[in-house]
Amino acid sequence: MLRTIGFPIGRKEHEKRRALTIEAIKACPYKEQLVFEKDYGTVLGISNKELANTGVHIANREEVLRQDIICDPKAGDAEYIESLTSGQILFGWIHAVQNRELTEQLVKNGITAIAWEDMNERGRHLFWRNNEIAGEAAVLHALEQLGILPYEVKAAILGRGNTARGAYKILTKLGADVTVYDRRTEELFRQEIDQYDVLVNAILWDINRNDHIIYKEDLQRMKKGSLIIDVSCDEGKGVETSKPTTIEQPIYSINGIYHYVVDHTPSIYHASASKSISEVVSKYLPILLTKKEQENAVLQEATIIKDQTILDKKILDYQRKPSLLA
Protein backbone atom coordinates (compact mmCIF):
# COMPACT_ATOMS: atom_id res chain seq x y z
CA MET A 1 0.00 0.00 0.00
CA LEU A 2 1.32 3.41 -0.99
CA ARG A 3 1.89 6.23 1.47
CA THR A 4 0.40 9.70 1.07
CA ILE A 5 2.31 12.97 1.17
CA GLY A 6 1.01 16.28 2.49
CA PHE A 7 2.40 19.62 1.33
CA PRO A 8 1.55 22.42 3.81
CA ILE A 9 2.19 26.08 3.13
CA GLY A 10 5.11 27.32 5.22
CA ARG A 11 4.10 30.02 7.69
CA LYS A 12 7.55 31.41 8.42
CA GLU A 13 7.73 35.11 7.63
CA HIS A 14 8.10 35.61 3.87
CA GLU A 15 8.69 31.89 3.26
CA LYS A 16 7.53 31.34 -0.32
CA ARG A 17 9.58 28.34 -1.43
CA ARG A 18 7.66 25.28 -2.54
CA ALA A 19 8.79 21.66 -2.61
CA LEU A 20 7.43 20.87 -6.08
CA THR A 21 6.83 22.83 -9.26
CA ILE A 22 3.83 21.97 -11.41
CA GLU A 23 6.12 20.38 -14.00
CA ALA A 24 7.43 17.96 -11.36
CA ILE A 25 3.91 17.24 -10.12
CA LYS A 26 2.75 16.35 -13.62
CA ALA A 27 5.70 13.96 -13.97
CA CYS A 28 5.06 12.21 -10.64
CA PRO A 29 3.84 8.62 -11.14
CA TYR A 30 1.70 8.71 -7.97
CA LYS A 31 -0.12 12.05 -8.23
CA GLU A 32 -3.23 10.70 -6.52
CA GLN A 33 -1.16 10.22 -3.34
CA LEU A 34 -0.21 13.90 -3.12
CA VAL A 35 -2.27 16.31 -0.98
CA PHE A 36 -1.62 20.05 -1.23
CA GLU A 37 -2.87 22.80 1.04
CA LYS A 38 -5.29 25.15 -0.70
CA ASP A 39 -3.44 28.01 -2.48
CA TYR A 40 -0.13 26.11 -2.34
CA GLY A 41 0.79 27.13 -5.86
CA THR A 42 -0.41 30.74 -5.78
CA VAL A 43 3.06 32.23 -5.22
CA LEU A 44 4.26 30.41 -8.34
CA GLY A 45 1.29 31.55 -10.42
CA ILE A 46 -0.50 28.20 -10.18
CA SER A 47 -4.22 28.27 -9.38
CA ASN A 48 -5.97 25.63 -7.27
CA LYS A 49 -7.87 24.52 -10.37
CA GLU A 50 -4.69 24.10 -12.39
CA LEU A 51 -3.10 22.17 -9.56
CA ALA A 52 -6.14 19.92 -9.10
CA ASN A 53 -6.27 19.23 -12.84
CA THR A 54 -2.92 17.42 -12.56
CA GLY A 55 -4.64 14.71 -10.50
CA VAL A 56 -3.49 15.70 -7.00
CA HIS A 57 -5.78 16.54 -4.09
CA ILE A 58 -6.38 20.04 -2.71
CA ALA A 59 -7.31 20.15 0.98
CA ASN A 60 -7.39 22.29 4.10
CA ARG A 61 -4.35 22.47 6.36
CA GLU A 62 -5.70 20.01 8.93
CA GLU A 63 -6.17 17.30 6.33
CA VAL A 64 -2.77 17.95 4.77
CA LEU A 65 -1.11 17.47 8.15
CA ARG A 66 -2.78 14.07 8.62
CA GLN A 67 -0.92 12.49 5.69
CA ASP A 68 1.75 9.82 6.15
CA ILE A 69 4.57 12.12 5.06
CA ILE A 70 4.77 15.88 5.56
CA CYS A 71 7.00 17.55 2.97
CA ASP A 72 7.87 21.09 4.00
CA PRO A 73 11.06 23.01 3.11
CA LYS A 74 11.21 24.80 6.48
CA ALA A 75 9.92 21.84 8.48
CA GLY A 76 12.17 22.58 11.44
CA ASP A 77 10.56 25.99 11.94
CA ALA A 78 6.98 24.77 11.58
CA GLU A 79 4.36 25.50 14.23
CA TYR A 80 2.53 22.19 13.68
CA ILE A 81 5.20 19.78 14.97
CA GLU A 82 3.33 19.09 18.22
CA SER A 83 0.25 18.02 16.26
CA LEU A 84 2.05 15.27 14.32
CA THR A 85 1.50 11.72 15.50
CA SER A 86 3.48 8.50 15.76
CA GLY A 87 4.40 6.95 12.45
CA GLN A 88 4.38 10.14 10.39
CA ILE A 89 7.48 11.19 8.47
CA LEU A 90 8.80 14.76 8.36
CA PHE A 91 10.73 15.49 5.15
CA GLY A 92 12.44 18.87 4.83
CA TRP A 93 15.12 21.10 6.33
CA ILE A 94 14.93 20.20 10.01
CA HIS A 95 18.17 21.46 11.61
CA ALA A 96 17.64 19.54 14.84
CA VAL A 97 21.26 19.59 16.00
CA GLN A 98 21.04 22.91 17.84
CA ASN A 99 17.31 22.72 18.54
CA ARG A 100 16.85 20.54 21.57
CA GLU A 101 13.15 21.37 21.99
CA LEU A 102 12.40 20.28 18.43
CA THR A 103 14.44 17.09 18.84
CA GLU A 104 12.61 16.15 22.02
CA GLN A 105 9.22 16.79 20.41
CA LEU A 106 10.01 14.60 17.41
CA VAL A 107 11.25 11.79 19.63
CA LYS A 108 8.31 12.07 22.01
CA ASN A 109 5.74 11.98 19.20
CA GLY A 110 7.42 9.08 17.41
CA ILE A 111 8.07 11.08 14.25
CA THR A 112 10.60 9.90 11.67
CA ALA A 113 12.68 12.85 10.52
CA ILE A 114 14.47 12.83 7.17
CA ALA A 115 16.62 15.95 6.94
CA TRP A 116 17.35 17.64 3.64
CA GLU A 117 20.50 19.17 5.12
CA ASP A 118 21.92 15.63 5.41
CA MET A 119 21.08 14.49 1.88
CA ASN A 120 24.37 13.98 0.08
CA GLU A 121 25.50 11.93 -2.88
CA ARG A 122 29.16 11.18 -3.58
CA GLY A 123 30.11 13.88 -1.11
CA ARG A 124 27.97 16.59 -2.69
CA HIS A 125 25.00 18.14 -0.92
CA LEU A 126 21.95 17.54 -3.12
CA PHE A 127 20.42 20.93 -2.34
CA TRP A 128 23.63 22.76 -3.29
CA ARG A 129 21.82 25.11 -5.67
CA ASN A 130 19.51 26.36 -2.90
CA ASN A 131 22.59 27.08 -0.78
CA GLU A 132 24.17 28.92 -3.69
CA ILE A 133 21.01 31.00 -4.08
CA ALA A 134 21.24 31.81 -0.35
CA GLY A 135 24.60 33.49 -0.95
CA GLU A 136 23.43 35.26 -4.09
CA ALA A 137 20.21 36.53 -2.51
CA ALA A 138 21.82 37.65 0.74
CA VAL A 139 24.38 39.81 -1.05
CA LEU A 140 21.83 41.42 -3.36
CA HIS A 141 19.28 42.04 -0.60
CA ALA A 142 21.77 43.35 1.96
CA LEU A 143 23.45 45.80 -0.42
CA GLU A 144 20.06 47.01 -1.63
CA GLN A 145 19.08 47.86 1.95
CA LEU A 146 22.03 50.23 2.21
CA GLY A 147 21.70 51.56 -1.34
CA ILE A 148 25.12 50.23 -2.34
CA LEU A 149 26.07 48.89 -5.76
CA PRO A 150 28.43 45.87 -5.71
CA TYR A 151 31.08 47.44 -7.97
CA GLU A 152 31.70 50.08 -5.31
CA VAL A 153 32.84 47.70 -2.60
CA LYS A 154 35.86 45.72 -1.52
CA ALA A 155 34.55 42.47 -0.06
CA ALA A 156 35.82 39.50 1.91
CA ILE A 157 34.10 36.13 1.74
CA LEU A 158 34.61 33.60 4.53
CA GLY A 159 34.17 30.06 3.25
CA ARG A 160 34.49 28.07 0.05
CA GLY A 161 31.26 26.05 0.02
CA ASN A 162 28.11 26.40 -2.07
CA THR A 163 26.84 29.47 -0.20
CA ALA A 164 30.19 31.21 -0.52
CA ARG A 165 30.28 30.39 -4.22
CA GLY A 166 26.89 32.07 -4.69
CA ALA A 167 28.09 35.22 -2.93
CA TYR A 168 31.29 35.19 -4.96
CA LYS A 169 29.41 34.85 -8.27
CA ILE A 170 27.19 37.83 -7.58
CA LEU A 171 29.92 40.09 -6.23
CA THR A 172 32.49 39.37 -8.93
CA LYS A 173 30.03 39.47 -11.82
CA LEU A 174 28.80 42.86 -10.62
CA GLY A 175 32.29 44.28 -10.29
CA ALA A 176 33.25 44.01 -6.62
CA ASP A 177 36.85 43.52 -5.52
CA VAL A 178 36.67 40.16 -3.71
CA THR A 179 39.05 38.17 -1.51
CA VAL A 180 38.13 34.70 -0.28
CA TYR A 181 39.25 33.23 3.06
CA ASP A 182 38.70 29.77 4.49
CA ARG A 183 39.40 27.99 7.79
CA ARG A 184 43.13 27.91 7.08
CA THR A 185 43.30 31.67 6.61
CA GLU A 186 41.01 32.86 9.39
CA GLU A 187 43.89 34.50 11.26
CA LEU A 188 45.01 36.29 8.12
CA PHE A 189 41.46 37.55 7.63
CA ARG A 190 41.36 38.94 11.16
CA GLN A 191 44.58 40.83 10.49
CA GLU A 192 43.13 42.29 7.28
CA ILE A 193 39.57 42.88 8.50
CA ASP A 194 39.95 46.66 8.38
CA GLN A 195 40.47 46.63 4.60
CA TYR A 196 36.90 45.69 3.65
CA ASP A 197 33.57 47.41 3.10
CA VAL A 198 31.61 44.13 3.11
CA LEU A 199 32.26 40.87 4.96
CA VAL A 200 30.28 37.76 3.96
CA ASN A 201 30.29 34.87 6.43
CA ALA A 202 29.37 31.65 4.62
CA ILE A 203 31.21 29.16 6.82
CA LEU A 204 29.26 26.10 7.97
CA TRP A 205 29.98 26.44 11.66
CA ASP A 206 31.57 23.56 13.55
CA ILE A 207 29.20 23.01 16.50
CA ASN A 208 32.16 21.99 18.67
CA ARG A 209 33.90 25.33 18.32
CA ASN A 210 33.60 27.83 21.15
CA ASP A 211 35.42 30.74 19.52
CA HIS A 212 34.40 33.27 16.85
CA ILE A 213 35.80 34.46 13.54
CA ILE A 214 34.61 38.01 14.10
CA TYR A 215 34.60 39.14 17.74
CA LYS A 216 32.70 42.11 19.10
CA GLU A 217 35.94 43.96 19.67
CA ASP A 218 36.84 43.46 15.99
CA LEU A 219 34.04 45.86 15.06
CA GLN A 220 36.19 48.69 16.42
CA ARG A 221 38.81 47.95 13.75
CA MET A 222 36.39 47.79 10.83
CA LYS A 223 35.54 50.68 8.54
CA LYS A 224 32.68 52.75 9.90
CA GLY A 225 29.50 51.93 8.00
CA SER A 226 30.82 48.62 6.72
CA LEU A 227 28.52 45.63 6.42
CA ILE A 228 28.61 42.06 7.75
CA ILE A 229 26.42 39.70 5.74
CA ASP A 230 26.13 36.59 7.92
CA VAL A 231 24.55 34.06 5.57
CA SER A 232 25.36 31.21 7.93
CA CYS A 233 23.08 32.82 10.54
CA ASP A 234 24.46 30.96 13.57
CA GLU A 235 23.55 33.30 16.40
CA GLY A 236 26.63 34.33 18.37
CA LYS A 237 28.80 31.70 16.66
CA GLY A 238 31.03 32.61 13.72
CA VAL A 239 30.13 36.27 14.18
CA GLU A 240 29.83 37.00 17.90
CA THR A 241 27.45 39.93 17.35
CA SER A 242 25.08 38.09 15.00
CA LYS A 243 21.43 37.71 15.90
CA PRO A 244 18.69 36.61 13.47
CA THR A 245 16.87 39.23 11.42
CA THR A 246 13.92 39.07 9.04
CA ILE A 247 13.29 39.90 5.42
CA GLU A 248 11.06 42.77 6.60
CA GLN A 249 13.72 44.15 8.97
CA PRO A 250 16.98 42.63 7.77
CA ILE A 251 19.62 45.00 9.17
CA TYR A 252 20.74 46.36 12.53
CA SER A 253 23.82 48.30 13.58
CA ILE A 254 26.33 47.74 16.39
CA ASN A 255 29.13 50.28 16.93
CA GLY A 256 28.49 51.71 13.48
CA ILE A 257 28.79 48.32 11.75
CA TYR A 258 25.74 47.03 9.87
CA HIS A 259 24.69 43.39 10.31
CA TYR A 260 22.48 41.39 7.94
CA VAL A 261 21.46 37.99 9.38
CA VAL A 262 18.42 36.69 7.45
CA ASP A 263 18.25 32.88 7.64
CA HIS A 264 16.08 32.06 4.62
CA THR A 265 17.30 34.36 1.87
CA PRO A 266 16.49 31.91 -0.99
CA SER A 267 12.83 32.73 -0.35
CA ILE A 268 13.49 36.21 -1.76
CA TYR A 269 13.96 34.47 -5.11
CA HIS A 270 11.40 31.77 -4.39
CA ALA A 271 10.70 30.81 -8.00
CA SER A 272 14.33 29.99 -8.72
CA ALA A 273 14.74 28.30 -5.34
CA SER A 274 11.58 26.23 -5.76
CA LYS A 275 12.76 25.01 -9.14
CA SER A 276 16.06 23.81 -7.69
CA ILE A 277 14.36 22.20 -4.68
CA SER A 278 11.78 20.47 -6.86
CA GLU A 279 14.45 18.89 -9.03
CA VAL A 280 15.79 17.06 -5.97
CA VAL A 281 12.56 16.30 -4.11
CA SER A 282 10.82 14.84 -7.17
CA LYS A 283 13.50 12.13 -7.43
CA TYR A 284 12.91 10.89 -3.89
CA LEU A 285 9.12 11.08 -3.55
CA PRO A 286 8.48 7.79 -5.41
CA ILE A 287 10.93 6.06 -3.06
CA LEU A 288 9.16 7.41 0.01
CA LEU A 289 5.70 6.73 -1.37
CA THR A 290 6.55 3.08 -2.02
CA LYS A 291 8.21 2.66 1.40
CA LYS A 292 11.64 1.90 -0.04
CA GLU A 293 13.68 4.56 1.76
CA GLN A 294 15.71 1.92 3.61
CA GLU A 295 16.94 0.69 0.23
CA ASN A 296 18.23 4.16 -0.66
CA ALA A 297 21.58 5.19 0.79
CA VAL A 298 20.87 8.94 0.57
CA LEU A 299 17.57 8.76 2.46
CA GLN A 300 18.93 6.25 4.95
CA GLU A 301 21.85 8.52 5.80
CA ALA A 302 19.52 11.53 6.09
CA THR A 303 17.16 9.78 8.54
CA ILE A 304 18.14 11.52 11.77
CA ILE A 305 15.32 10.30 14.05
CA LYS A 306 13.30 7.09 13.83
CA ASP A 307 11.32 4.89 16.24
CA GLN A 308 11.86 7.45 19.03
CA THR A 309 15.61 7.05 18.61
CA ILE A 310 18.12 9.73 17.60
CA LEU A 311 20.27 8.29 14.82
CA ASP A 312 22.34 11.38 14.02
CA LYS A 313 25.55 11.37 16.07
CA LYS A 314 25.87 15.15 15.62
CA ILE A 315 22.65 15.67 17.55
CA LEU A 316 23.74 13.37 20.35
CA ASP A 317 27.20 14.90 20.64
CA TYR A 318 26.01 18.51 20.65
CA GLN A 319 22.99 18.09 22.89
CA ARG A 320 25.02 16.20 25.49
CA LYS A 321 27.39 19.12 25.94
CA PRO A 322 27.41 20.28 29.59
CA SER A 323 26.08 23.75 28.71
CA LEU A 324 22.90 22.18 27.34
CA LEU A 325 22.33 19.76 30.18
CA ALA A 326 22.09 22.33 32.95
Side-chain angles (χ1 to χ4, degrees):
M1 185 175 178
L2 295 174
R3 289 184 176 124
T4 58
I5 302 184
F7 296 84
I9 295 173
R11 291 186 174 178
K12 185 179 177 72
E13 176 255 358
H14 277 284
E15 182 52 64
K16 298 179 181 179
R17 286 173 290 180
R18 297 295 183 257
L20 290 179
T21 62
I22 195 163
E23 291 78 13
I25 294 169
K26 290 177 179 178
C28 181
Y30 306 108
K31 289 183 282 290
E32 68 281 359
Q33 302 301 114
L34 309 183
V35 184
F36 292 85
E37 184 174 351
K38 182 181 178 182
D39 297 329
Y40 188 87
T42 301
V43 296
L44 298 178
I46 305 165
S47 67
N48 290 318
K49 181 178 180 181
E50 185 179 2
L51 193 57
N53 285 342
T54 66
V56 304
H57 301 281
I58 308 296
N60 61 36
R61 191 172 184 83
E62 291 72 24
E63 184 176 349
V64 167
L65 294 175
R66 287 196 293 267
Q67 304 311 308
D68 300 321
I69 301 168
I70 306 302
C71 182
D72 181 0
K74 295 297 285 185
D77 293 329
E79 85 294 342
Y80 55 74
I81 300 298
E82 291 185 7
S83 70
L84 301 183
T85 58
S86 181
Q88 286 185 288
I89 296 173
L90 193 62
F91 186 52
W93 281 300
I94 297 173
H95 298 296
V97 174
Q98 296 182 48
N99 192 333
R100 185 168 188 167
E101 183 179 350
L102 171 64
T103 300
E104 290 176 347
Q105 191 68 58
L106 293 172
V107 172
K108 176 183 176 182
N109 287 24
I111 307 304
T112 293
I114 303 177
W116 288 2
E117 63 268 22
D118 290 324
M119 289 179 65
N120 302 285
E121 190 171 40
R122 298 185 182 92
R124 188 182 202 185
H125 183 43
L126 290 179
F127 290 94
W128 65 269
R129 178 56 186 143
N130 181 83
N131 294 349
E132 196 174 63
I133 292 173
E136 296 168 346
V139 167
L140 289 171
H141 191 221
L143 292 180
E144 180 186 20
Q145 301 306 303
L146 299 182
I148 299 172
L149 289 167
Y151 58 75
E152 296 179 329
V153 305
K154 183 173 183 179
I157 296 176
L158 306 173
R160 293 185 181 273
N162 297 318
T163 304
R165 183 169 63 243
Y168 181 83
K169 283 169 59 178
I170 288 295
L171 285 167
T172 55
K173 287 183 177 181
L174 295 179
D177 178 1
V178 181
T179 302
V180 179
Y181 300 86
D182 58 19
R183 285 182 172 85
R184 295 169 298 179
T185 53
E186 285 180 13
E187 287 303 316
L188 175 62
F189 161 73
R190 294 193 64 208
Q191 291 176 18
E192 299 177 344
I193 195 171
D194 59 342
Q195 299 179 17
Y196 300 101
D197 308 297
V198 174
L199 308 178
V200 181
N201 177 35
I203 290 179
L204 178 62
W205 195 246
D206 181 347
I207 58 175
N208 295 309
R209 288 182 64 168
N210 296 312
D211 62 337
H212 311 286
I213 301 172
I214 301 176
Y215 287 81
K216 185 175 182 178
E217 54 263 33
D218 291 329
L219 304 186
Q220 302 294 337
R221 299 173 46 228
M222 293 173 61
K223 293 182 181 180
K224 186 176 180 179
S226 58
L227 169 65
I228 297 173
I229 304 174
D230 191 356
V231 197
S232 296
C233 298
D234 295 312
E235 183 172 3
K237 300 294 184 181
V239 180
E240 185 178 14
T241 49
S242 276
K243 55 186 179 182
T245 59
T246 66
I247 290 174
E248 283 287 349
Q249 296 182 305
I251 286 182
Y252 61 91
S253 176
I254 296 179
N255 296 337
I257 305 301
Y258 294 107
H259 293 61
Y260 175 98
V261 199
V262 177
D263 74 348
H264 60 306
T265 55
S267 188
I268 298 170
Y269 297 95
H270 59 274
S272 294
S274 296
K275 181 180 178 182
S276 71
I277 292 168
S278 180
E279 289 173 355
V280 178
V281 171
S282 60
K283 295 178 182 178
Y284 290 91
L285 290 190
I287 300 171
L288 291 168
L289 285 164
T290 55
K291 305 180 181 180
K292 295 180 179 179
E293 62 271 15
Q294 291 306 307
E295 300 174 17
N296 183 274
V298 171
L299 292 175
Q300 193 169 9
E301 185 66 25
T303 302
I304 60 173
I305 299 172
K306 184 179 181 181
D307 297 330
Q308 296 187 301
T309 301
I310 299 173
L311 304 178
D312 186 350
K313 188 175 182 295
K314 296 190 301 294
I315 298 176
L316 293 171
D317 290 345
Y318 184 77
Q319 297 189 5
R320 284 173 178 166
K321 293 175 72 172
S323 60
L324 294 179
L325 297 175

